Amino acid sequence: MKVIISGGGTGGHIFPAIAIANAIKAKHSEAEILFVGANGRMEMEKVPAAGYRIEGLNIAGFQRRLTWKNLTFPFKLWKSLQRAKKIIREFNPDVAIGVGGYASGPTLQMATKLRIPCLIQEQNSYPGITNKILSKNVQKICVAYEGMDKFFASEKIVFTGNPIRQDISDLSNKYDEAQQYFNFSNRRGEVHPRPKTLLVIGGSLGARTINESLSAMLPELAKTDLQVIWQTGKNFDISSVDTKQFPNIHTMQFITRMDLAYSIADFIVSRAGALSISELCVVGKPAILIPSPNVSEDHQTKNAMALVNQNAALFVADKDAKTLLFSTITKLVNDLELQQNLSQNILKLAKTDAAKQIADIVDNIKKS
């Protein structure tokens, strides 16, 4: 069994891809798995750290605004297609999988031309243009939302949910470890024996509006009994937060142990990327979603509304975050019935075996 997995750019593409690879290896210990990513992007670091080999393409996205970078896009695309063809011919995979991101387009395009069985894993409720194009020539399309036959041929669709990191599927008995990991144990002196914890995650690259909103409300948060774990992303200057002035605020650019963050959290503020939504459903904690407006087809808002419409999460628009986020947090913290309803409803949407299902589909299309 030889499998190529292509895509990346953000954790929302990379971690599902790694989860799929792990599921394939669990079924076929001898399987050879090769990742294909975009040079300079996050996958070139995270995939090797997970124990897998990766090849890079010199590809970047097409800018929607008028910019000189678009002049180089056709050349980079052509070069990436040729590089992808070379990688595929040399590796000779049985199956190719696309998870979204810059590299998946050239790789899956070439894989289908070379008659390699392919599947794409569409994480969002509204697919991007690349997956719409690729869908015409792949064997299967694994989706996380109902109603995707609006975009794809219904006979190719399999409703699997999104693959998630396995370490978050069981959060029991991790609270004490989380308290130590985030260094809350001795930071505030005498506090409630189990203070409520707010987890704020804006994605691996950071979310400017969320970061600016949190920065503005730090004095108010410091007056509460909340502990706050704040993943800022790499584009935020962590040193700007005075930990002595705000001892209940713990900032990190990137949270490696998300299982511990989720286990200690009582409430979560998050962007509405596909991976975040899928993990929040499994974790089952009350959540406030602030969709990013800077994504194609506004798909994060569509992801968020799929939960909000089922009373499974609260919603704050990005443009309103600076004025409404603190009051929304306060409302949630003080309303036990609301917390229980949100938690019960979001758990109903959880899918925990997506990676295993996709590994089974890989077997099926390889045999066909």
Side-chain angles (χ1 to χ4, degrees):
M1 171 76 81
K2 298 177 77 172
V3 181
I4 277 181
I5 302 177
S6 184
T10 67
H13 294 309
I14 296 163
F15 295 119
I18 292 171
I20 293 168
N22 291 342
I24 293 170
K25 291 290 280 186
K27 288 194 71 177
H28 304 282
S29 59
E30 81 293 348
E32 293 182 54
I33 298 175
L34 175 66
F35 281 75
V36 179
N39 283 326
R41 303 292 289 185
M42 186 178 166
E43 60 266 27
M44 303 308 291
E45 173 191 346
K46 298 298 180 185
V47 168
Y52 293 102
R53 185 160 67 93
I54 188 168
E55 297 280 354
L57 306 180
N58 289 322
I59 184 68
F62 188 83
Q63 304 295 313
R64 289 172 179 260
R65 64 187 186 280
L66 203 59
T67 170
W68 65 269
K69 289 183 179 179
N70 284 340
L71 297 175
T72 66
F73 178 77
F75 177 73
K76 285 186 175 180
L77 177 59
W78 183 83
K79 292 281 285 184
S80 293
L81 286 166
Q82 300 313 304
R83 172 74 174 143
K85 181 195 288 187
K86 185 174 186 292
I87 291 169
I88 293 165
R89 281 183 167 163
E90 289 179 353
F91 186 68
N92 191 27
D94 296 297
V95 178
I97 301 170
V99 297
Y102 298 147
S104 66
T107 306
L108 270 287
Q109 182 75 15
M110 275 302 166
T112 56
K113 283 194 173 186
L114 295 170
R115 301 187 180 281
I116 306 297
C118 295
L119 71 83
I120 53 177
Q121 197 264 317
E122 175 54 62
Q123 292 121 17
N124 293 294
S125 58
Y126 195 97
I129 185 67
T130 301
N131 273 356
K132 287 181 185 176
I133 294 169
L134 292 173
S135 69
K136 296 176 174 60
N137 296 312
V138 303
Q139 278 64 45
K140 291 294 178 182
I141 304 161
C142 300
V143 302
Y145 291 88
E146 302 285 2
M148 298 300 284
D149 53 356
K150 297 193 296 287
F151 311 107
F152 304 127
S154 58
E155 67 272 12
K156 295 183 179 183
I157 293 173
V158 185
F159 180 71
T160 60
N162 280 324
I164 60 167
R165 292 170 273 204
Q166 285 305 300
D167 60 0
I168 72 164
S169 58
D170 183 7
L171 300 177
S172 58
N173 302 318
K174 291 187 176 183
Y175 182 87
D176 290 341
E177 183 183 358
Q179 277 284 91
Q180 292 183 344
Y181 181 83
F182 293 108
N183 196 28
F184 280 127
S185 302
N186 300 307
R187 294 179 68 173
R188 301 185 69 186
E190 293 297 322
V191 295
H192 189 279
R194 186 160 177 159
K196 297 294 185 181
T197 302
L198 172 69
L199 171 63
V200 182
I201 42 178
S204 53
L205 303 179
R208 186 175 66 180
T209 302
I210 293 178
N211 286 339
E212 290 177 350
S213 300
L214 259 289
S215 296
M217 69 175 71
L218 283 178
E220 294 301 317
L221 283 173
K223 297 174 185 176
T224 71
D225 290 328
L226 284 173
Q227 295 180 154
V228 181
I229 300 169
W230 176 12
Q231 178 180 283
T232 65
K234 67 178 184 179
N235 297 324
F236 181 82
D237 180 12
I238 284 182
S239 64
S240 65
V241 180
D242 185 348
T243 54
K244 291 183 179 178
Q245 184 180 0
F246 306 113
N248 60 327
I249 314 291
H250 184 88
T251 57
M252 302 177 74
Q253 283 194 335
F254 185 80
I255 301 174
T256 303
R257 292 293 305 274
M258 279 304 299
D259 59 322
L260 298 183
Y262 284 133
S263 72
I264 198 174
D266 297 284
F267 321 101
I268 300 171
V269 173
S270 176
R271 282 301 200 199
L275 176 64
S276 297
I277 293 284
S278 297
E279 290 187 344
L280 290 173
C281 290
V282 172
V283 169
K285 304 291 179 75
I288 300 168
L289 300 176
I290 308 175
S292 170
N294 305 312
V295 293
S296 60
E297 311 294 348
D298 196 25
H299 68 248
Q300 284 205 9
T301 296
K302 296 177 175 70
N303 291 349
M305 293 312 297
L307 270 62
V308 173
N309 290 337
Q310 298 189 60
N311 194 28
L314 300 181
F315 178 93
V316 174
D318 187 84
K319 64 182 177 61
D320 298 326
K322 292 178 184 176
T323 55
L324 295 182
L325 181 56
F326 184 73
S327 61
T328 306
I329 291 170
T330 303
K331 172 187 174 184
L332 178 59
V333 169
N334 292 327
D335 192 332
L336 182 58
E337 184 178 359
L338 176 61
Q339 295 168 27
Q340 292 171 340
N341 288 337
L342 292 175
S343 184
Q344 290 168 2
N345 291 334
I346 200 169
L347 279 170
K348 294 175 185 175
L349 306 176
K351 293 279 287 183
T352 58
D353 62 346
K356 182 180 181 300
Q357 283 191 57
I358 294 170
D360 291 339
I361 295 166
V362 168
D363 280 353
N364 291 337
I365 66 173
K366 174 183 179 290
K367 293 172 184 174
S368 62

